[in-house]
Amino acid sequence: SEWPVVADVTSQLRLNRRCHALCEHFDLMLLNGAFAKTVDAEMVVHIGGEFVSKRLLEHFGQYRPAEYVHISADPRRRDPANCVTRKITVNIAKLSGTPQKPQAGGGLNAHLASLNSKLAGLIGDRVDNSAHLSEIGVARAVAANAPKKSALFVSSSLPIRLVDSYA
């Protein structure tokens, strides 16, 4: 089966675009209440630390998956929505590798990929092609133009959330 990947801004996967199943604008999709109701995950595998996205945390708090596995190097339980059903403490680097391209077909992954593509187009049309400078435009430009093999350090609440939602 296909597994969509929702990577938080704090993830190295989020901005390097090496994952074919990556849904970059899931946080924005959750703004649509009708959409949020349709994405009732049976299982979540959460790799790494806490999410920046408050919407994602609230979504999992409201639509609890039957199984929520949190894999992290940190042994502390960080689960503000109290959704984790299984906690695995392990060195994440030992698990890493390039995610494989999902098999062709329909399902949730195809649906999210279609919505993600539409959102990316809308954001590009409204923000990237605008003659006006905006905070969202700056967040997108900085993230898009970061040199390969570099680390992007974003601090302060709003810039982090803008990069998470729009970059």
Side-chain angles (χ1 to χ4, degrees), residues 97-130:
T98 303
Q100 300 298 310
K101 187 172 184 176
Q103 296 176 349
L108 180 60
N109 214 24
H111 179 63
L112 289 178
S114 173
L115 289 174
N116 191 66
S117 179
K118 288 176 186 175
L119 259 175
L122 286 171
I123 293 167
D125 289 345
R126 302 268 168 111
V127 177
D128 299 342
N129 298 330
S130 174

Side-chain angles (χ1 to χ4, degrees), residues 1-147:
S1 68
E2 298 176 3
W3 288 66
V5 176
V6 177
D8 195 68
V9 69
T10 58
S11 166
Q12 294 296 321
L13 186 61
R14 178 64 174 81
L15 296 177
N16 76 12
R17 313 242 188 319
R18 289 179 14 190
C19 177
H20 301 284
L22 183 62
C23 183
E24 295 132 325
H25 303 293
F26 191 76
D27 184 76
L28 290 176
M29 292 177 199
L30 290 176
L31 284 171
N32 181 316
F35 169 80
K37 289 178 185 176
T38 67
V39 184
D40 191 6
E42 293 176 27
M43 181 174 195
V44 171
V45 178
H46 174 169
I47 302 172
E50 294 179 70
F51 292 122
V52 167
S53 170
K54 288 181 183 177
R55 274 187 222 92
L56 192 56
L57 284 172
E58 289 170 358
H59 178 76
F60 290 138
Q62 185 173 1
Y63 302 98
R64 293 184 180 277
E67 189 77 21
Y68 189 119
V69 180
H70 184 198
I71 302 169
S72 173
D74 187 348
R76 295 176 288 181
R77 183 177 174 96
R78 298 191 180 218
D79 182 18
N82 201 25
C83 295
V84 174
T85 58
R86 187 172 306 169
K87 171 82 168 102
I88 300 171
T89 304
V90 67
N91 182 338
I92 303 294
K94 291 182 179 180
L95 299 175
S96 67
T98 303
Q100 300 298 310
K101 187 172 184 176
Q103 296 176 349
L108 180 60
N109 214 24
H111 179 63
L112 289 178
S114 173
L115 289 174
N116 191 66
S117 179
K118 288 176 186 175
L119 259 175
L122 286 171
I123 293 167
D125 289 345
R126 302 268 168 111
V127 177
D128 299 342
N129 298 330
S130 174
H132 302 286
L133 185 63
S134 70
E135 292 172 318
I136 295 171
V138 170
R140 285 177 59 79
V142 168
N145 292 295

